[in-house]
């Protein structure tokens, strides 16, 4: 039986401890405050990041891993006796991370199947968990990557931002660029579309109403597609994450919570503080 390793990047926001328990290797992106550079989730926790974000005179920037960093990981996994690798990463429409992994795969001593998850944060996390399940079921590289791409195509993400400032200044606003969110307490509800691009989902007046709209959309999806796996994400706002989960449960939607956690520094650079949302995927 082929030994398959799973690799992802830090923007899955599952954190090093959870990824270790799942048997997944993580290649971190970097966050830069001026001349200072930090490895996402490794040298800068979400709590430390959001404290710096709200006090720093300069906005942070991010940097994707280099092909050499991916190649080092692939070679190390080959040395440890793995036969194949499935490398699952955030949307290629938002980052060059998939491109770096693809470039490195050409020099890997063992086959690497690179998968664009077409998603970010805990949306990517749901896709990574699908790869783990396919691996644990005994699938080879082709089977694991095929199952992972299937889940990637069916995973959706809805999130509410307090402001579009960070998304626009970071150049990741996509089709949400022109959203007039500053008027009349409008809170943008955004989504990552099937092509992995951020776009507006709905404009809602007030944050509480925005969370209710997200919950209603999840409920509608469950009615159409059946039981959903969901993951709640928040920018160090555990109370609001809990509130969104309560809103979803109150709709009567048939859901299974697979994770609930913070948005890390790289995604937080563009989402800003007070982001909250949910990723979801039908269970086949």
């Amino acid at each position: 039986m082929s030994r398959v390793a799973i690799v992802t990047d830090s923007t899955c926001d599952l954190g090093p401890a959870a990824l270790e328990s799942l048997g997944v290797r993580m290649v971190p992106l970097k966050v830069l405050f001026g001349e200072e550079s930090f490895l996402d989730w490794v040298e800068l926790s979400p709590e430390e990041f959001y404290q710096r974000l709200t006090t720093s005179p300069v906005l942070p920037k991010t940097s994707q891993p280099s092909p050499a960093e991916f190649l080092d990981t692939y070679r190390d996994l080959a040395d440890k006796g793995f036969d194949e690798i499935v490398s699952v990463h955030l949307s290629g429409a938002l980052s060059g991370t998939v491109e770096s992994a693809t470039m490195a795969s050409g020099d890997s001593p063992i086959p690497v199947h690179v998968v664009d998850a077409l998603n970010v944060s805990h949306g990517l996390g749901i896709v990574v968990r699908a790869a783990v399940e396919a691996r644990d079921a005994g699938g080879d590289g082709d089977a694991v990557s095929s199952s992972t791409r299937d889940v990637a195509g069916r995973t959706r993400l809805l999130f509410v931002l307090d402001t579009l400032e960070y998304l626009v200044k970071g150049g990741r606003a996509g089709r949400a660029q022109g959203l007039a969110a500053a008027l009349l307490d409008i809170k943008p509800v955004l989504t990552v579309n099937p092509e992995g691009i951020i776009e507006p989902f709905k404009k809602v007046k007030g944050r509480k109403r925005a969370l209710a709209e997200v919950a209603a959309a999840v409920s509608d999806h469950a009615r159409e597609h059946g039981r959903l796996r969901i993951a709640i994400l928040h920018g160090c706002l555990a109370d609001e994450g809990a509130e969104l989960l309560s809103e979803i449960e109150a709709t009567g939607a048939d859901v299974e919570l697979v994770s609930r956690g913070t948005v890390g520094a790289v995604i937080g650079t563009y989402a800003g503080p007070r982001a909250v949302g949910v990723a979801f995927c039908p269970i086949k």
Side-chain angles (χ1 to χ4, degrees):
M1 180 182 295
S2 179
R3 289 191 68 203
V4 179
I6 309 296
V7 174
T8 189
D9 60 76
S10 58
T11 68
C12 69
D13 288 339
L14 296 178
L19 289 173
E20 183 177 1
S21 71
L22 292 169
V24 176
R25 283 286 292 270
M26 185 261 279
V27 179
L29 280 74
K30 300 179 183 68
V31 179
L32 300 90
F33 282 93
E35 298 300 315
E36 293 184 275
S37 176
F38 303 91
L39 294 176
D40 186 26
W41 280 99
V42 177
E43 298 174 339
L44 189 65
S45 71
E47 293 78 11
E48 293 168 327
F49 167 74
Y50 287 107
Q51 183 176 9
R52 290 190 67 138
L53 181 66
T54 55
T55 58
S56 174
V58 296
L59 286 175
K61 297 181 180 180
T62 63
S63 175
Q64 69 204 40
S66 67
E69 289 170 302
F70 275 112
L71 185 56
D72 285 345
T73 298
Y74 297 160
R75 284 173 171 164
D76 182 61
L77 290 168
D79 290 343
K80 285 180 166 57
F82 287 95
D83 303 305
E84 296 179 88
I85 297 167
V86 175
S87 204
V88 190
H89 303 289
L90 82 158
S91 169
L94 302 176
S95 169
T97 301
V98 162
E99 184 179 358
S100 287
T102 301
M103 291 175 66
S105 69
D107 294 318
S108 172
I110 58 177
V112 180
H113 309 259
V114 179
V115 177
D116 185 339
L118 303 171
N119 224 303
V120 296
S121 192
H122 288 261
L124 169 57
I126 285 179
V127 179
V128 169
R129 289 178 184 276
V132 170
E133 288 185 359
R135 176 203 65 195
D136 292 348
D140 61 10
D142 285 333
V144 173
S145 60
S146 177
S147 178
T148 304
R149 288 189 178 93
D150 173 63
V151 171
R154 295 185 290 113
T155 299
R156 298 291 176 265
L157 174 65
L158 291 172
F159 57 103
V160 180
L161 302 183
D162 202 47
T163 173
L164 282 172
E165 173 189 1
Y166 298 94
L167 199 64
V168 171
K169 289 184 176 179
R172 299 300 195 278
R175 294 170 188 167
Q177 178 79 34
L179 199 62
L183 303 176
L184 303 175
D185 192 32
I186 296 297
K187 297 302 178 187
V189 180
L190 305 178
T191 188
V192 179
N193 71 18
E195 287 75 46
I197 299 169
I198 294 172
E199 65 181 16
F201 178 76
K202 192 167 287 189
K203 291 187 285 185
V204 180
K205 187 174 181 181
R207 191 171 179 87
K208 188 171 183 62
R209 178 67 185 279
L211 296 184
E213 290 287 349
V214 170
V218 172
S219 180
D220 290 344
H221 204 76
R223 278 196 297 271
E224 182 178 355
H225 298 283
R227 185 172 177 82
L228 305 178
R229 286 183 174 173
I230 68 169
I232 300 293
L233 52 126
H234 57 83
C236 285
L237 293 171
D239 289 347
E240 292 204 22
E243 180 183 354
L244 177 56
L245 179 59
S246 294
E247 291 268 7
I248 293 170
E249 291 174 339
T251 68
D254 188 6
V255 299
E256 172 192 325
L257 180 68
V258 295
S259 67
R260 176 168 56 181
T262 54
V263 175
V266 167
I267 301 302
T269 293
Y270 307 103
R274 303 198 72 215
V276 62
V278 58
F280 50 97
C281 179
I283 299 173
K284 278 191 170 180

